[in-house]
């Protein structure tokens, strides 16, 4: 457990309510672009896997996660600008000790920004409907882990040659607790390159993994 206390019932209700609203927006926006008669034909959506083959079908996922991680990092940092924070991002940060329900507890304006990555996919890379389904499923799973309030990676992971580039629940929990630093989503490439990872991250990870 990363923070000893648990969220309150009101926290759970707020997070669940905003998360359900966000998921509705996440469903509507891509469908709008795909189904709109003036826009849909200009997207990169394709229906037959054979059009690009299985190699591209599976190879697209690492590209999608790298694209999303980059999109999220810079959009996230932008929403932390003092002039934008209250309007876009404050709702999410009401969860200073997040639960899994906080994963998609966004203000509707932030939800529109977040779902923008699906629009980016639709106009940059060949995308199959199954790409959307599998990508979103995996994204939900990792985002829930990031807001879990518990750390499941093993002791020493944050200092491992590979683990140091992977985002963790401890890392994102610190972001919610302190509001500054640790802006990444799946990876820590941008945080480490831009110097925005918290200096006490490794220490906090070690402390959490030594708790009984």
């Amino acid at each position: 457990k990363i923070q000893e206390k648990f969220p309150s019932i009101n926290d759970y209700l707020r997070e669940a309510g905003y998360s359900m609203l966000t998921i509705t927006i996440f469903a509507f926006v891509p469908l709008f672009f795909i189904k709109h008669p003036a826009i849909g034909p200009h997207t990169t959506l394709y229906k037959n896997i054979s059009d690009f083959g299985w190699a591209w079908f599976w190879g697209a996922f690492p590209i999608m996660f790298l694209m999303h991680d980059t999109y999220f990092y810079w959009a996230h940092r932008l929403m932390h600008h003092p002039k934008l924070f209250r309007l876009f991002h404050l709702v999410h940060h009401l969860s200073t000790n997040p639960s899994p329900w906080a994963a998609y507890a966004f203000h509707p304006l932030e939800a529109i920004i977040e779902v923008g990555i699906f629009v980016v996919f639709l106009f940059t890379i060949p995308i199959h409907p199954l790409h959307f389904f599998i990508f979103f499923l995996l994204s939900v799973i990792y985002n829930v882990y990031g807001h879990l309030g518990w750390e499941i990676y093993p002791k020493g992971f944050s200092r491992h040659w590979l683990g140091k580039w992977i985002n963790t629940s401890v890392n994102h929990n610190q972001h919610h607790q302190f509001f500054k630093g640790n802006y990444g989503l799946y990876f820590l490439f941008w945080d480490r390159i831009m110097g925005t990872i918290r200096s006490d991250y490794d220490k906090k990870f070690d402390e959490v993994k030594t708790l009984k």
Side-chain angles (χ1 to χ4, degrees):
K1 188 77 171 69
I2 299 169
Q3 296 187 48
E4 290 186 11
K5 64 179 181 179
F6 283 83
S8 69
I9 295 298
N10 287 338
D11 288 327
Y12 288 131
L13 292 174
R14 183 193 67 253
E15 292 169 354
Y18 275 109
S19 286
M20 286 186 283
L21 178 59
T22 293
I23 296 301
T24 301
I25 293 172
F26 272 34
F28 173 78
V29 171
L31 282 176
F32 172 80
F33 282 89
I34 292 169
K35 297 296 185 180
H36 195 289
I39 302 175
H42 300 287
T43 69
T44 56
L45 191 73
Y46 68 99
K47 295 182 179 180
N48 299 313
I49 293 178
S50 59
D51 289 347
F52 291 90
W54 285 104
W56 166 253
F57 180 81
W58 294 114
F61 288 109
I63 296 171
M64 294 171 73
F65 280 105
L66 288 171
M67 288 174 65
H68 190 199
D69 194 71
T70 298
Y71 178 94
F72 179 87
Y73 177 87
W74 290 105
H76 191 186
R77 283 198 68 179
L78 183 62
M79 287 187 290
H80 270 267
H81 189 283
K83 292 184 178 180
L84 300 176
F85 181 80
R86 286 187 174 275
L87 184 61
F88 287 87
H89 201 43
L90 177 61
V91 164
H92 190 61
H93 270 281
L94 293 175
S95 302
T96 56
N97 183 22
S99 79
W101 286 105
Y104 291 89
F106 303 140
H107 186 282
L109 290 178
E110 178 173 1
I112 292 172
I113 298 297
E114 299 287 359
V115 77
I117 186 60
F118 292 95
V119 180
V120 171
F121 290 154
L122 281 171
F123 291 95
T124 55
I125 60 174
I127 198 88
H128 189 275
L130 279 176
H131 280 133
F132 275 135
F133 176 78
I134 296 173
F135 175 83
F136 184 62
L137 176 62
L138 295 176
S139 181
V140 166
I141 291 171
Y142 208 81
N143 212 358
V144 166
Y145 154 69
H147 295 83
L148 196 60
W150 299 75
E151 185 52 68
I152 62 175
Y153 280 125
K155 185 177 181 179
F157 185 79
S158 71
R159 301 176 188 272
H160 186 268
W161 67 268
L162 179 60
K164 67 184 294 185
W165 301 105
I166 306 297
N167 200 10
T168 67
S169 193
V170 168
N171 185 282
H172 196 66
N173 193 282
Q174 282 191 305
H175 177 77
H176 274 267
Q177 190 174 6
F178 302 110
F179 285 46
K180 191 173 183 180
N182 301 3
Y183 299 103
L185 178 55
Y186 309 110
F187 311 113
L188 298 180
F189 299 126
W190 286 110
D191 271 316
R192 294 198 182 278
I193 291 170
M194 301 306 298
T196 53
I197 197 162
R198 289 183 58 85
S199 60
D200 60 346
Y201 164 54
D202 287 332
K203 179 181 178 182
K204 178 63 177 178
F205 192 96
D206 292 342
E207 288 176 354
V208 169
K209 297 307 295 185
T210 55
L211 293 175
K212 300 296 184 181

